[in-house]
Amino acid sequence: SRLSLGPLLADDMGLGKRLETILYIASFPNDKSLVVWPTSLVFNWQEEFARFAPGIRTQIVFGTPEERQALLQQEETDVFITTYPLIRKDISVYREIQFDHMFIDEAQFIKNHKSLSAKAVKSVPAKHRFALTGTPIENALSELWSIFEFIMPGFFSPYHKFSEVYEKPIMRGQDTEKMMELKARIKPFILRRMKKQVLKEIPDKTESMRMAQMTKKQEKIYLSYLTRIQTEINDHKGIQSGAERIQILSALTRLRQI
């Protein structure tokens, strides 16, 4: 950070990437930070700030576009918390704000460098950038390139050249020499530890099942949505297309959320 170089926190799940982030932010009490998380984790992050660094003033950026813009103008806030979908919508506002530190959690959300999420987070002005993910590479080396283009723009050559020099030789022919060259180049900027390296004695996993009945109001909402989906599906008289299959999967997900 002192050298204005961006690190990738890639520790295995459960080893403290969030705590590392919170402690780093707490080291700069007068700075302004932005954290971008998946929607489902926003309140988890605020709770962890309250637990580990209660002196840090956090603000979740939510509400209408006007309300979100007003929240971003608050001078008394140390850490602004937003989500990938919202930063895409508010990017014109974020481009006008200079942040000292910026963090993206579950950085695989920007693995496609052509996606709106990737373009949005990369266009926010920030002196220091950090990426957090336990899976920096899921399917292709282009994902690693996209993350590094966020934390240190220009560290690698443009993607088409990176692909020719590293990705294609490594993925096609398992080019060991190129693989080692790439590994040596990124190693100083990645902190990645696996559980087996850190936790010498891991206790047996304990699972407990707890059944929870829906309240009357929850059940009413659930059954109402279920009835509507069943009607829509029946009206189609059979599932013919991929889009209709996706509609069913989406409906099942929504029912689980309810």
Side-chain angles (χ1 to χ4, degrees), residues 14-29:
L15 293 187
K17 293 188 291 295
R18 293 182 196 173
L19 180 55
E20 290 164 0
T21 299
I22 291 170
L23 292 176
Y24 174 87
I25 290 175
S27 301
F28 301 91

Side-chain angles (χ1 to χ4, degrees), residues 29-31 33 46 49 53-59 75-81:
N30 298 316
D31 286 359
S33 298
Q46 193 174 48
F49 269 106
I56 300 295
R57 299 165 297 181
T58 62
Q59 175 61 62
E75 294 293 335
E76 65 274 13
T77 298
D78 300 312
V79 180
F80 295 93
I81 304 173

Side-chain angles (χ1 to χ4, degrees), residues 195-248:
K195 286 190 178 77
K196 60 185 178 182
Q197 296 173 270
V198 180
L199 306 176
K200 302 303 180 184
E201 294 183 7
I202 303 178
D204 293 334
K205 184 177 181 180
T206 302
E207 294 185 2
S208 58
M209 299 292 291
R210 296 174 186 241
M211 304 302 293
Q213 292 293 326
M214 286 190 285
T215 65
K216 292 294 183 183
K217 184 177 180 181
Q218 290 168 337
E219 187 175 357
K220 184 178 180 180
I221 295 172
Y222 183 94
L223 293 176
S224 173
Y225 187 81
L226 176 62
T227 301
R228 179 158 66 87
I229 292 299
Q230 287 174 328
T231 302
E232 291 177 3
I233 292 173
N234 289 335
D235 288 345
H236 281 82
K237 295 185 170 69
I239 305 303
Q240 304 296 328
S241 67
E244 290 171 341
R245 293 189 185 94
I246 291 174
Q247 181 189 16
I248 291 178

Side-chain angles (χ1 to χ4, degrees), residues 22-250:
I22 291 170
L23 292 176
Y24 174 87
I25 290 175
S27 301
F28 301 91
N30 298 316
D31 286 359
K32 181 186 296 185
S33 298
L34 171 67
V35 292
V36 186
W37 320 120
T39 304
S40 60
L41 297 177
V42 166
F43 291 98
N44 299 44
W45 269 100
Q46 193 174 48
E47 289 171 3
E48 294 205 25
F49 269 106
R51 177 183 175 189
F52 293 111
I56 300 295
R57 299 165 297 181
T58 62
Q59 175 61 62
I60 296 176
V61 182
F62 68 104
T64 65
E66 294 75 18
E67 289 170 339
R68 297 197 300 269
Q69 185 170 355
L71 289 173
L72 286 168
Q73 305 307 318
Q74 292 183 357
E75 294 293 335
E76 65 274 13
T77 298
D78 300 312
V79 180
F80 295 93
I81 304 173
T82 190
T83 67
Y84 287 101
L86 287 180
I87 200 170
R88 294 200 302 263
K89 295 179 180 179
D90 300 335
I91 192 56
S92 60
V93 180
Y94 283 98
R95 286 193 185 116
E96 301 301 317
I97 304 173
Q98 176 66 56
F99 292 97
D100 296 295
H101 314 279
M102 180 177 177
F103 303 81
I104 59 171
D105 193 11
E106 302 294 344
Q108 64 270 21
F109 269 71
I110 68 163
K111 64 182 181 181
N112 179 0
H113 62 276
K114 297 180 180 179
S115 69
L116 293 177
S117 292
K119 292 177 180 178
V121 299
K122 291 173 185 177
S123 65
V124 177
K127 295 178 184 176
H128 307 287
R129 294 177 171 184
F130 297 77
L132 286 67
T133 175
T135 52
I137 303 174
E138 291 183 316
N139 299 303
L141 285 177
S142 59
E143 300 165 6
L144 183 70
W145 180 90
S146 184
I147 293 174
F148 266 84
E149 188 64 13
F150 166 72
I151 58 177
M152 288 190 291
F155 175 73
F156 284 122
S157 53
Y159 174 65
H160 68 275
K161 189 173 181 180
F162 172 86
S163 179
E164 291 295 330
V165 173
Y166 292 113
E167 187 173 28
K168 290 179 180 178
I170 292 173
M171 300 302 286
R172 277 192 210 150
Q174 294 296 308
D175 191 318
T176 305
E177 185 178 337
K178 284 295 180 184
M179 190 182 298
M180 295 306 293
E181 180 184 322
L182 178 60
K183 184 177 180 180
R185 190 169 180 187
I186 64 176
K187 187 177 181 180
F189 311 106
I190 296 180
L191 176 63
R192 180 163 178 79
R193 301 169 299 169
M194 308 303 287
K195 286 190 178 77
K196 60 185 178 182
Q197 296 173 270
V198 180
L199 306 176
K200 302 303 180 184
E201 294 183 7
I202 303 178
D204 293 334
K205 184 177 181 180
T206 302
E207 294 185 2
S208 58
M209 299 292 291
R210 296 174 186 241
M211 304 302 293
Q213 292 293 326
M214 286 190 285
T215 65
K216 292 294 183 183
K217 184 177 180 181
Q218 290 168 337
E219 187 175 357
K220 184 178 180 180
I221 295 172
Y222 183 94
L223 293 176
S224 173
Y225 187 81
L226 176 62
T227 301
R228 179 158 66 87
I229 292 299
Q230 287 174 328
T231 302
E232 291 177 3
I233 292 173
N234 289 335
D235 288 345
H236 281 82
K237 295 185 170 69
I239 305 303
Q240 304 296 328
S241 67
E244 290 171 341
R245 293 189 185 94
I246 291 174
Q247 181 189 16
I248 291 178
L249 290 174
S250 176

